[in-house]
Amino acid sequence: SMQTSGNKLCSCPSFKLREVASMYFTMIAVFLVILVVALQGLAPRGSDFPYKVPLDPEGLLELSWNVSYPKQVVNFQLLIRDLKFGLLFGMSDRGEFEDADLAVLWSDGHNSYFADAWSDAKGQLHMDSQQDYQLLGARRAPEGLYLLFRRAFSTCDPKDYLIEDDTVHLIYGILEKPVRSLQAINISAIRRGLQRVQLLKPNITIPEMPSDLKTKEITVLNIVIPSQETTYWCSTTELPEGFPKHHIIMYEPVITPGNEALVHHMEVFQCAATFNNFSHYNGPCDSKMKPDQLNYCRHVLAAWAMGAQAFYYPEEAGLAFGGPGFSRYLRLEIHYHNPLVMEGRHDSSGIRLYYTATLRRHDAGIMELGLVYTPVMAIPPGEDAFVLTGYCTDKCTQMALPPAGIRIFASQLHTHLAGRKVVTVLARDGREQQVVNSDRHYSPHFQEIRMLKEVVAVFPGDELITTCTYNTENRSKATVGGFSIMEEMCVNYVHYYPQTQLELCKSAVDPGYLHRYFNLVNRFNDEEVCMCPQVSVPQQFSSIPWNTFNKDVLQSLYGFAPISMHCNKSSAVRFPGVWEKQPLPIITKKLPEPVPHCPPSPGPQPAAPIPLNLGQLRRD
């Protein structure tokens, strides 16, 4: 490598420093020529990068990647369909361009360069003293320029983003003019945006498929995507009459070619089994023409979000599909994200279900963990990280789970617009055992069902604790729990087997204790919080003067007051037992914070950009 050759030269005292320096730079130049030549030959096959997502709404930038767990690295392949004078690609906490970790390709109009950079709190770019985006190659192809680079999960460089197995906010920027240097790039003046993905996909083995595998495509039929930024499109379909019981064992997205950047996420729901006749519908979900019946189609069968692959059930389980008591009616919901307000785009996207009549050993089930949808759980305004916790108690799992327990294999986290983090932890005898699913960069705009890296076993008497962190800095009124988008939720839909009767295991603060809180606020503050029984809880919350005392007392009330437990069967009926005024589970031993593993450092890389021979870049 060029480092060691340089060092060997310097250890010879007979050379004059100037000669050494000129030899050193000649060697670097030779090395770079060799590098550029070597890069031309690197042409990985598409199958080497199984995950793929468009970064920008036009699909000019297409990111593919793969993950090596043994080496703890992510290999990226970025296709730039229309290279002007370079681009920025990187990661930041929530998709901001300040305090971001970036790989930058830029050109001064003659030469092109690649470097690892970071932006400070003002958005100014700096060369990173530790170059951790490692360039693997660049090649031209008819469709554009491929840039290949790699990055370790964790670099222990304080300027670098730590890649974890949760949501990652990827950012990109397109340079449309030549720039003198990296520092000269003004990131507020470029075309830019963000895309959310889960980079560290679980490395699961794909179960063998049975010979009688059948497929059903649930799609829209050549609709015209409305020319507005956000559309939720609803359409219905039905299974044939007398369709016997099958198991869904995998599903995957079907996306109309050319619309990859517009189809944001999709879900297939099963309707309530009670309809005798059903009105079919195909149109925007918020339209006045939508039949009310569609509001009773809430049982998720399949969900996909941008960047997700096919979803596989573990080989012991399948999702029941058809048969007695199963509704024949299904609803497809597609979220189109069309920020460029393109017109006249036709679409026939949807989800392809793979199912079999050879039933697997267990039916899979879905259970809701977290908080009950109720206004007694509230978040004061102006908070940057207010925490609410929902419990599935030992008493409920003791009563509802089979002696051999259940196995959780996938999870979908859910909040409304103020949610920033969601974590579910399994505890046993008051000691936290393991994380079921955690997203410390959670975004309400990116909710996918994620297969877990390892299946989590839950036994009778275990506790499942779901904690949500909210940001209400831009709100002036309290945010209460509820169904509307400006109210909040804290839910983890866990997918597990064997299916039990337990469909919902959630909690909320005891209403009597909340009433005491309102009394206390009344006694302590000048302004009156009306305590009259006819005033609703949301109205009481909205009349509270939100000083730090009232905020802190509410947070501590939620941390010690008894809870009302919802330990429910599918029919919304609770399991028999006493569920009101239950003590909060006490955790005596928490899990340690994960410590990032630092790779052996590759020696002091010079903080200099790598020149690339990409030919003359052009002005349009």
Side-chain angles (χ1 to χ4, degrees):
S1 86
M2 69 185 187
Q3 250 80 47
T4 52
S5 1
N7 298 345
K8 274 197 201 108
L9 284 177
C10 299
S11 60
C12 300
S14 59
F15 280 107
K16 286 203 191 72
L17 190 62
R18 187 177 302 153
E19 292 169 29
V20 171
S22 79
M23 282 182 69
Y24 183 67
F25 284 113
T26 311
M27 294 193 68
I28 287 185
V30 169
F31 170 79
L32 289 172
V33 171
I34 295 170
L35 176 75
V36 170
V37 172
L39 297 185
Q40 309 296 327
L42 276 177
R45 302 179 308 286
S47 60
D48 294 345
F49 296 94
Y51 311 115
K52 191 159 92 177
V53 70
L55 292 182
D56 64 307
E58 286 169 279
L60 296 174
L61 301 174
E62 188 175 280
L63 181 76
S64 318
W65 74 97
N66 68 41
V67 181
S68 164
Y69 284 102
K71 292 189 177 143
Q72 298 271 297
V73 297
V74 182
N75 296 303
F76 294 105
Q77 171 181 277
L78 187 52
L79 167 60
I80 308 156
R81 290 187 195 278
D82 182 19
L83 180 62
K84 303 281 199 315
F85 289 92
L87 88 156
L88 292 75
F89 166 81
M91 308 169 206
S92 67
D93 188 40
R94 304 208 63 83
E96 320 85 352
F97 279 76
E98 297 73 36
D99 298 317
D101 173 11
L102 296 155
V104 186
L105 171 70
W106 76 97
S107 164
D108 55 15
H110 309 286
N111 302 308
S112 306
Y113 303 93
F114 176 90
D116 178 353
W118 56 276
S119 63
D120 59 27
K122 292 197 171 72
Q124 172 62 46
L125 288 185
H126 304 271
M127 182 81 64
D128 200 333
S129 57
Q130 188 180 315
Q131 292 282 305
D132 290 302
Y133 280 104
Q134 184 191 348
L135 183 65
L136 301 173
R139 66 182 173 99
R140 285 208 176 274
E143 61 271 30
L145 176 82
Y146 284 96
L147 195 63
L148 285 95
F149 50 97
R150 97 164 26 132
R151 166 75 151 65
F153 298 173
S154 136
T155 60
C156 297
D157 170 349
K159 300 289 181 227
D160 284 355
Y161 182 94
L162 172 66
I163 303 175
E164 298 174 287
D165 50 12
D166 55 7
T167 301
V168 179
H169 291 71
L170 301 176
I171 54 179
Y172 66 87
I174 296 169
L175 302 180
E176 293 175 314
K177 298 195 209 47
V179 285
R180 297 190 312 282
S181 67
L182 174 79
Q183 285 73 14
I185 297 172
N186 173 2
I187 59 173
S188 57
I190 57 175
R191 255 174 67 201
R192 60 187 213 179
L194 85 123
Q195 178 64 287
R196 301 175 182 92
V197 296
Q198 180 191 29
L199 282 178
L200 303 190
K201 304 282 188 190
N203 211 354
I204 59 158
T205 44
I206 292 174
E208 219 169 290
M209 292 292 141
S211 54
D212 65 350
L213 194 62
K214 290 196 185 66
T215 62
K216 179 172 177 63
E217 287 193 5
I218 298 178
T219 64
V220 290
L221 294 173
N222 201 25
I223 67 158
V224 176
I225 300 175
S227 48
Q228 58 194 44
E229 178 164 353
T230 302
T231 301
Y232 283 87
W233 191 275
C234 283
S235 86
T236 56
T237 181
E238 59 183 284
L239 299 173
E241 194 126 19
F243 183 74
K245 180 174 173 178
H246 291 75
H247 268 163
I248 296 173
I249 57 175
M250 75 167 274
Y251 57 82
E252 63 187 2
V254 182
I255 301 204
T256 301
N259 292 348
E260 292 82 1
L262 293 168
V263 179
H264 187 273
H265 69 251
M266 308 187 276
E267 294 190 89
V268 176
F269 299 97
Q270 179 198 346
C271 300
T274 47
F275 299 136
N276 298 329
N277 55 355
F278 188 79
S279 334
H280 281 287
Y281 177 73
N282 180 33
C285 301
D286 58 1
S287 155
K288 300 269 185 292
M289 307 302 293
K290 186 185 84 170
D292 267 355
Q293 286 174 315
L294 265 65
N295 300 331
Y296 298 93
C297 306
R298 298 242 49 96
H299 184 78
V300 179
L301 287 185
W304 172 88
M306 224 177 225
Q309 287 296 94
F311 182 93
Y312 295 92
Y313 279 83
E315 52 196 353
E316 308 78 33
L319 188 67
F321 184 53
F326 186 96
S327 165
R328 291 172 38 222
Y329 303 105
L330 308 174
R331 169 170 75 101
L332 169 69
E333 184 173 304
I334 301 184
H335 172 194
Y336 293 105
H337 182 58
N338 182 7
L340 301 175
V341 191
M342 297 189 230
E343 297 193 9
R345 294 291 284 266
H346 287 253
D347 189 64
S348 298
S349 299
I351 289 181
R352 185 182 294 122
L353 304 174
Y354 289 76
Y355 60 97
T356 170
T358 312
L359 298 185
R360 288 178 166 182
R361 207 162 86 226
H362 300 294
D363 281 351
I366 299 175
M367 186 190 304
E368 283 188 43
L369 306 175
L371 288 173
V372 182
Y373 310 126
T374 161
V376 301
M377 303 304 293
I379 305 139
E383 291 285 311
D384 69 333
F386 195 85
V387 174
L388 294 179
T389 302
Y391 299 89
C392 175
T393 56
D394 50 351
K395 186 168 165 183
C396 180
T397 60
Q398 191 70 57
M399 170 159 285
L401 297 189
I406 58 169
R407 306 283 178 276
I408 298 176
F409 60 88
S411 151
Q412 182 182 24
L413 307 173
H414 179 72
T415 71
H416 285 172
L417 301 177
R420 293 295 178 271
K421 296 179 184 179
V422 186
V423 182
T424 297
V425 175
L426 169 74
R428 189 169 292 145
D429 305 323
R431 290 194 288 277
E432 292 185 350
Q433 302 290 317
Q434 70 186 108
V435 173
V436 178
N437 189 5
S438 149
D439 198 336
R440 304 208 281 193
H441 297 94
Y442 171 84
S443 165
H445 305 292
F446 188 63
Q447 310 185 16
E448 52 179 0
I449 300 180
R450 291 188 179 157
M451 295 174 272
L452 301 184
K453 280 208 171 61
E454 49 194 53
V455 169
V456 177
V458 184
F459 295 100
D462 285 356
E463 294 159 335
L464 292 158
I465 302 168
T466 302
T467 302
C468 293
T469 306
Y470 298 94
N471 181 308
T472 55
E473 282 175 309
N474 58 358
R475 299 190 181 188
S476 54
K477 286 210 161 351
T479 301
V480 296
F483 288 94
S484 113
I485 195 70
M486 290 312 287
E487 296 174 333
E488 267 311 327
M489 293 189 169
C490 176
V491 188
N492 181 354
Y493 298 96
V494 292
H495 295 243
Y496 72 95
Y497 66 87
Q499 186 172 27
T500 65
Q501 282 194 303
L502 182 61
E503 193 141 297
L504 192 146
C505 189
K506 296 157 84 170
S507 71
V509 71
D510 173 69
Y513 271 74
L514 183 66
H515 192 73
R516 293 184 197 180
Y517 166 75
F518 289 139
N519 277 331
L520 174 74
V521 168
N522 248 350
R523 287 210 303 277
F524 199 82
N525 296 277
D526 303 338
E527 291 155 76
E528 280 291 301
V529 179
C530 183
M531 299 304 303
C532 358
Q534 68 273 23
V535 174
S536 70
V537 168
Q539 285 171 307
Q540 288 176 303
F541 269 123
S542 70
S543 62
I544 288 181
W546 286 111
N547 53 42
T548 50
F549 177 83
N550 290 344
K551 287 179 175 182
D552 293 349
V553 173
L554 181 67
Q555 182 83 80
S556 52
L557 169 85
Y558 287 149
F560 92 96
I563 51 178
S564 157
M565 259 309 293
H566 286 224
C567 183
N568 291 14
K569 302 182 185 183
S570 55
S571 48
V573 176
R574 290 191 196 187
F575 276 83
V578 177
W579 300 110
E580 297 304 328
K581 290 200 172 30
Q582 296 297 292
L584 268 192
I586 292 167
I587 297 300
T588 52
K589 184 166 176 279
K590 279 193 152 347
L591 284 169
E593 276 291 307
V595 179
H597 151 86
C598 295
S601 91
Q605 264 14 38
I610 296 177
L612 276 172
N613 175 11
L614 300 176
Q616 280 284 325
L617 297 186
R618 52 166 221 299
R619 296 172 190 270
D620 280 358

